[in-house]
Amino acid sequence: MEQKRIREFGMTIGRMPTGKRDKITDVPGVSVGHVTIKDADNHTGVTVILPGPGNAFAEKYTAAAYVHNGFGKSCGLVQIQELGTLETPIALTNTLNIGLVWDGLADYVIGQCREDKVQAFSINPVVGECNDCRINHIQQRAVKASHVREAIEGAGEDFPEGDVGAGAGTLCYGLKGGIGSASRIFNVDGKEYVIGVLVQSNFGATRDLVLDGRPVGEQVIRLIEKRKSESRKKAGDGEKPALSLQDRGSIMTILATDLPVSHRQLERIIRRAGVGIARTGAYTGHGSGEVMIGFTTANRIPHEKSRKLLRQTILHEDLIDQAFQAAAEATHEAILNSMVCAGQTAGIHGEIYYSLADLLPELLR
């Protein structure tokens, strides 16, 4: 089934132009793969972002990580913050599957390095997570190392959004959340650059939702209560619609760019993802982990020390505002895409989590 993204509902987010796909894969070389696990007990999966072709360990990417609120169990962030490099693909999954997915990434990189005859005695796999326990039986730990390899092998420039991969079991503002993506392009000194964002959305209290600058959370609550009442009249007990009363659950934001920037500059850029999150209405609650990871495909850093002195080209700081705006706009749109591309889903106790796409016609009147 063809997915309708937020722009197809008549909403234009921000002012900057988008890339060709309006996805993180508008950054040349970046690809994304999913494995989705849906059966009687599980509603979860893994999503892998490959920063480019070849061996990331041998030619590392300039990278940054920022923890806006640390209620999360991600791994690999400390070394990114210290060294400013990314040396593996980035994987997203559920909270209790971090270790198993780490194993899958480590095995993949070890295999690459053996083929390329690169010594890899210390590897920093990067894995982010959201807790999908309201839809998925998380303690079963259904995502295995083999699923990571499958997601990598299936990665491409075009990929589905919504309740797929690591977003299969997530919620956003009490509605169905998931994986969403968007991109922005801008010009520096006559050359076009891209910032692309991918999110795993699992945050927000229903009453706080903002659409197109309008607070619509209370309206969403009324619409859901109305559907509950109508369902009860038709079928006795009827549906059991659910809401999120607190801003909890987390959001992972992955930002990619081809803009030549330093580790420090990249950290400044990814922090602006928080602006995009806030524009959807969230205030970053106690129980919500907001974690941002970014990398640039420019300024690669060789693992081998054959070159003792490295030269890099970086953006003049006075020109960085375009990148800030792009990060905020792309994150905002990626979150909304994650919601409208996700279908209605049942929770583990039979409750119903609606899709934003089903409510939008009434919300945008």
Side-chain angles (χ1 to χ4, degrees), residues 15 17 121 185 191 205 215 239 256 275 289:
R15 300 190 303 271
F121 298 126
I185 57 175
K191 184 175 178 181
E239 295 177 349
V275 176

Side-chain angles (χ1 to χ4, degrees), residues 198-213:
L198 181 145
V199 300
Q200 178 191 18
S201 67
N202 192 49
F203 71 101
T206 307
R207 66 171 65 89
D208 296 325
L209 179 61
V210 172
L211 283 176
D212 209 13

Side-chain angles (χ1 to χ4, degrees), residues 176-326:
K176 185 66 186 73
I179 298 295
S181 193
S183 69
R184 295 294 184 271
I185 57 175
F186 52 95
N187 192 284
V188 177
D189 197 26
K191 184 175 178 181
E192 188 174 275
Y193 294 96
V194 186
I195 279 182
V197 167
L198 181 145
V199 300
Q200 178 191 18
S201 67
N202 192 49
F203 71 101
T206 307
R207 66 171 65 89
D208 296 325
L209 179 61
V210 172
L211 283 176
D212 209 13
R214 291 192 304 115
V216 298
E218 296 295 342
Q219 188 179 355
V220 169
I221 292 172
R222 290 194 296 271
L223 285 173
I224 290 176
E225 290 297 334
K226 179 182 176 183
R227 290 191 175 201
K228 180 179 179 180
S229 176
E230 291 173 348
S231 175
R232 186 182 294 115
K233 289 178 182 177
K234 291 179 181 177
D237 291 340
E239 295 177 349
K240 295 191 291 184
L243 302 169
S244 287
L245 302 179
Q246 296 175 296
D247 187 347
R248 62 188 178 95
S250 303
I251 175 172
M252 292 295 311
T253 303
I254 312 302
L255 183 147
T257 186
D258 56 357
L259 186 68
V261 288
S262 67
H263 157 67
R264 180 189 60 79
Q265 290 176 319
L266 191 55
E267 182 181 346
R268 296 189 72 202
I269 293 168
I270 64 175
R271 282 161 53 189
R272 270 57 184 188
V275 176
I277 294 169
R279 286 176 179 173
T280 66
Y283 57 83
T284 310
H286 160 70
S288 186
E290 278 69 24
V291 177
M292 297 88 168
I293 303 169
F295 63 88
T296 175
T297 57
N299 293 331
R300 301 285 293 273
I301 300 169
H303 177 69
E304 300 295 340
K305 296 181 284 292
S306 55
R307 286 182 283 161
K308 294 181 174 60
L309 297 176
L310 303 177
R311 293 183 178 181
Q312 290 187 336
T313 299
I314 64 170
L315 181 73
H316 193 291
E317 207 84 0
D318 285 347
L319 301 176
I320 204 167
D321 274 355
Q322 289 188 94
F324 288 169
Q325 183 178 352

Side-chain angles (χ1 to χ4, degrees), residues 41-277:
D41 294 317
N42 302 298
H43 207 104
T44 192
V46 61
T47 295
V48 179
I49 301 96
L50 281 75
N55 190 332
F57 187 88
E59 288 285 332
K60 304 179 196 303
Y61 293 81
T62 297
Y66 174 67
V67 179
H68 188 62
N69 192 57
F71 204 124
K73 286 76 181 172
S74 301
C75 68
L77 304 186
V78 172
Q79 184 168 312
I80 291 179
Q81 291 171 325
E82 183 70 21
L83 303 185
T85 58
L86 173 71
E87 60 189 27
T88 75
I90 299 169
L92 304 174
T93 188
N94 72 53
T95 305
L96 296 188
N97 263 112
I98 288 285
L100 292 166
V101 169
W102 190 100
D103 285 344
L105 280 182
D107 288 344
Y108 172 73
V109 175
I110 288 169
Q112 277 191 315
C113 289
R114 282 174 177 163
E115 287 184 12
D116 296 338
K117 295 180 171 52
V118 175
Q119 298 286 358
F121 298 126
S122 175
I123 303 171
N124 186 50
V126 179
V127 188
E129 54 79 31
C130 287
N131 195 309
D132 59 13
C133 68
R134 285 177 281 180
I135 290 178
N136 174 55
H137 288 86
I138 194 170
Q139 292 182 349
Q140 296 198 11
R141 305 180 73 201
V143 183
K144 308 302 181 186
S146 60
H147 293 126
V148 177
R149 170 71 69 164
E150 186 180 344
I152 290 171
E153 292 175 349
E157 294 179 342
D158 200 14
F159 58 92
E161 297 166 278
D163 49 345
V164 295
T170 62
L171 304 172
C172 196
Y173 290 102
L175 304 173
K176 185 66 186 73
I179 298 295
S181 193
S183 69
R184 295 294 184 271
I185 57 175
F186 52 95
N187 192 284
V188 177
D189 197 26
K191 184 175 178 181
E192 188 174 275
Y193 294 96
V194 186
I195 279 182
V197 167
L198 181 145
V199 300
Q200 178 191 18
S201 67
N202 192 49
F203 71 101
T206 307
R207 66 171 65 89
D208 296 325
L209 179 61
V210 172
L211 283 176
D212 209 13
R214 291 192 304 115
V216 298
E218 296 295 342
Q219 188 179 355
V220 169
I221 292 172
R222 290 194 296 271
L223 285 173
I224 290 176
E225 290 297 334
K226 179 182 176 183
R227 290 191 175 201
K228 180 179 179 180
S229 176
E230 291 173 348
S231 175
R232 186 182 294 115
K233 289 178 182 177
K234 291 179 181 177
D237 291 340
E239 295 177 349
K240 295 191 291 184
L243 302 169
S244 287
L245 302 179
Q246 296 175 296
D247 187 347
R248 62 188 178 95
S250 303
I251 175 172
M252 292 295 311
T253 303
I254 312 302
L255 183 147
T257 186
D258 56 357
L259 186 68
V261 288
S262 67
H263 157 67
R264 180 189 60 79
Q265 290 176 319
L266 191 55
E267 182 181 346
R268 296 189 72 202
I269 293 168
I270 64 175
R271 282 161 53 189
R272 270 57 184 188
V275 176
I277 294 169

